[in-house]
Amino acid sequence: MTPNFERVIAAFDYEAPFDSLIARYKTEHRFGLSTTLAHLLAQAVARAGGLSPRQGPISASATVLVPIPSSAASLRRRGFNPAGELATSLGAELHLPVRRDVLRRRREGPRQAYSGRAARHLAAQGLFETVGRLDGWSVGLVDDVMTTGATVNAASAALLSAGAARVVVLVAARTPWRQPQTARVEAAAHQ
């Protein structure tokens, strides 16, 4: 799969001890953690050289942060959108506007927490649509955790279809890539 986004900037890998920070944020309604997560993510953005495009300048005034919208079931269960709160805090850290009204879900899908890679990609296809145009804007697409990239890829496709010049994914945590078991066995056999 070719990604629809330019790159991913993550504050940290989604593994111990940081996974417990994300869990507390999402399940214990610790809204204050959005400030901490945003600060860590802003530091990662600075280490990555900012949100500047790799090809040609785009002014900061044409950059906007857009959070991944939560499903209705997640909003009922949690009472808030973790990506939305993170985007708000990150916008304050980076001095960028946050647009919660640009991206929305077309439909509700199954909870993906226990879905495999193929199921996640299938469920995310066509999941998002935009409200209005983003002609020429650079978008920082904000989510709390990136697992397979299916959700941010589908959201990026919708943003690009609405005219966004580019999409950079900004996540607090990213599940580290692990070489599939069969590939590890084959690699070991050839050593």
Side-chain angles (χ1 to χ4, degrees):
M1 166 190 80
T2 302
N4 294 310
F5 46 86
E6 184 177 294
R7 62 187 171 140
V8 176
I9 301 174
F12 49 82
D13 285 341
Y14 189 58
E15 4 182 62
F18 297 110
D19 57 344
S20 64
L21 182 66
I22 295 289
R24 286 193 323 231
Y25 173 55
K26 291 171 78 167
T27 62
E28 296 176 10
H29 302 100
R30 296 196 179 198
F31 300 110
L33 289 176
S34 69
T35 304
T36 302
L37 294 171
H39 183 71
L40 293 170
L41 184 50
Q43 289 177 333
V45 169
R47 284 190 306 274
L51 295 178
S52 299
R54 292 185 176 154
Q55 300 180 358
I58 293 178
S59 70
S61 64
T63 300
V64 65
L65 300 179
V66 175
I68 293 285
S70 287
S71 68
S74 291
L75 283 173
R76 282 190 303 273
R77 185 172 60 254
R78 290 190 186 108
F80 75 107
N81 176 359
E85 297 302 318
L86 178 59
T88 298
S89 294
L90 186 61
E93 284 271 338
L94 298 177
H95 307 288
L96 291 172
V98 177
R99 295 287 309 271
R100 290 179 180 237
D101 60 337
V102 170
L103 190 63
R104 68 179 175 199
R105 288 177 177 264
R106 286 184 168 167
R107 66 182 186 280
E108 294 298 312
R111 190 165 180 215
Q112 293 193 32
Y114 305 105
S115 299
R117 180 177 288 290
R120 284 176 183 243
H121 284 280
L122 185 60
Q125 289 179 357
L127 182 61
F128 299 102
E129 65 185 358
T130 58
V131 178
R133 300 286 306 162
L134 295 167
D135 294 326
W137 284 76
S138 177
V139 176
L141 180 61
V142 181
D143 204 358
D144 54 340
V145 178
M146 180 176 153
T147 305
T148 64
T151 300
V152 294
N153 202 50
S156 296
L159 294 166
L160 292 171
S161 292
R166 61 192 279 271
V167 178
V168 173
V169 176
L170 305 169
V171 294
R174 180 179 187 172
T175 301
W177 184 81
R178 305 254 193 271
Q179 189 176 24
Q181 183 65 33
T182 54
R184 283 194 300 256
V185 170
E186 290 173 10
H190 289 51
Q191 291 179 353

